[in-house]
Amino acid sequence: MAEYEDTYEKVIELARRRGFVWPSSEIYGSVAGFIDYGPLGAMLKRRIESTWRRFYVVQEGYYEIECPTVGIEPIYVASGHVGGFSDKMFQCPHCQEFLRADHVAEAFGIPHAGTMSKEELHNVLVDKECPACGKVLGEVEVFDFNLMFTTSIGPGGQRKGYLRPETAQGMFVDFPRLLRFYRDHLPFGAVQVGKSYRNEISPRQGMIRLREFTQAEAEIFVHPEEKDHPNFSRYADYKMPLWGIAQQEKETPAVVKSMREAVDEGIIANEYVAYYVAMTHDILCTVGFNPDKIRFRQHMPDERAHYATDCWDAEALSDRFGWVEIVGIADRTNYDLKAHSRVSGQKNTVFVQYPEAKKVHHKAIVPNFGKLGPAFKGKAKPISEQILTATPEADGIHLTIDGEEILVGPEMYTVKDEIVDVFGEDVMPHVIEPSYGIDRMCYMVLEHAYAEDVADGEARTVMRFKKGVAPIQVAVLPLMARDGLDEIAKNLVLELQNEGIQTEYDDAGAIGRRYRRQDEIGTPYCITVDYDTKDDTSVTLRDRDSMQQIRGPAAAVLKALPDLLKGKLPFDTSSL
């Protein structure tokens, strides 16, 4: 355990010292669950988000929207967050610390604590010690704590609002507009990247559990009976570790399966879920997760939401925290659209046209206005409208008008049998939802990139970021900050910046010390300008990971760098 803690401490110490992540409001003592991204951390985060967008927006063609982070109450009544978005909490009777009950239970090795009732958690915690003060808890009361931050909208708190606990609801609420944007055709999707807020009870895991955090979510709307992904061949042969329900029940390791095998064998419910499971693995590897420390865990039946067909979590192995959920991929059926339809009155359906019209037997109800009018007077019109879609019973049609129960007798309408052409049907789409925790991704990229080795007989700390997410992509180092070398170096910096390459100029200290400094922040390449550069324009290009150096004309180096950063060229003289 000490070794694991040292790794975590080293990563966090480097992150704070080098400007990746800082405690928020540090001069006032900080508050758990909030962090500041420093200059390098903010850049790392943006590059991870850009990689995510490259997959979901560019590759998949799902356009991005942006919704407010404050939502009115009916949104979260419909979504279920007002009534059911809570964690089970208790207060230690000795130190008065508030603690999350299932987390404390899990820390004592109690399995499936997250699915236990309040009474069950109380029973298992009675004889356990408080993690804050060490005293036996005794008869603690476990109660529900809603995780949403509340706010008021307008002067005097005219309307109640909430800071959104997820970005997803904005896309569900915008479904009618999105449907029109995508020309009323399934499947389609929308994505959103932004802040969400959860008033966590006792966040103690740094970047892993925050009260303000960034999510990247996609909502993909599909026909309920058509869940074969049109581009499934892209990932059909893609293999990865799957820790399914069968493996968890038998407590056996994850099995490596292709997505085609996983769907055919019934491990993953359908091609859409399998496609985004594979794409998620692709994204995590692309941003720098260690492939040997990734697995996909299927939700057990007792933890999966009752409305979900299938749900998988992408988990990454952390030295300090063990397996950590990074991404959730779920088939949420039509639960969300149906809930918002019920509360808002909006249909949230798509008209799907049949290839050919279908002949359908239909019973048409024709009102007899000559009898309805005299019998019901002012209510005749709403009654005549409602009976058109009603189902007659033996004694007539039963209706409710303005709260009044009304019986419309058989003499007041005629039932006609018809054969009609039906050209399509209204369908409420199902939703496939991949949901990414960007802050957790950032932490895992930091931890998985952290390495120590030896350079020139000295210990070296190096962040082995993937080139696509490294905050600084190239550093230009003049051997001396005089004799015109600094001017040449600064001109190279300008040329690289004009090509959109994030470049840093560094002339402080010995050249070896500067290399170590750039290694520590993960800069993939360094260009050194020396006195020979003045004679023949050649510069030295150094690779971070291998520490190898090649020399060539400055113009050739500048030309090669974009492809080197994209991994399209090998690092050798043939590239120059």
Side-chain angles (χ1 to χ4, degrees), residues 4-13 206 320-321 443:
Y4 293 161
E5 292 178 355
D6 285 346
T7 302
Y8 170 81
E9 295 298 341
K10 289 176 182 178
V11 170
I12 294 302
E13 189 277 331
R320 168 68 69 92
F321 304 113
Y443 173 75

Side-chain angles (χ1 to χ4, degrees), residues 459-470:
R460 178 179 77 136
T461 299
V462 56
M463 297 299 288
R464 299 189 188 278
F465 293 128
K466 287 292 186 76
K467 299 179 181 68
V469 301

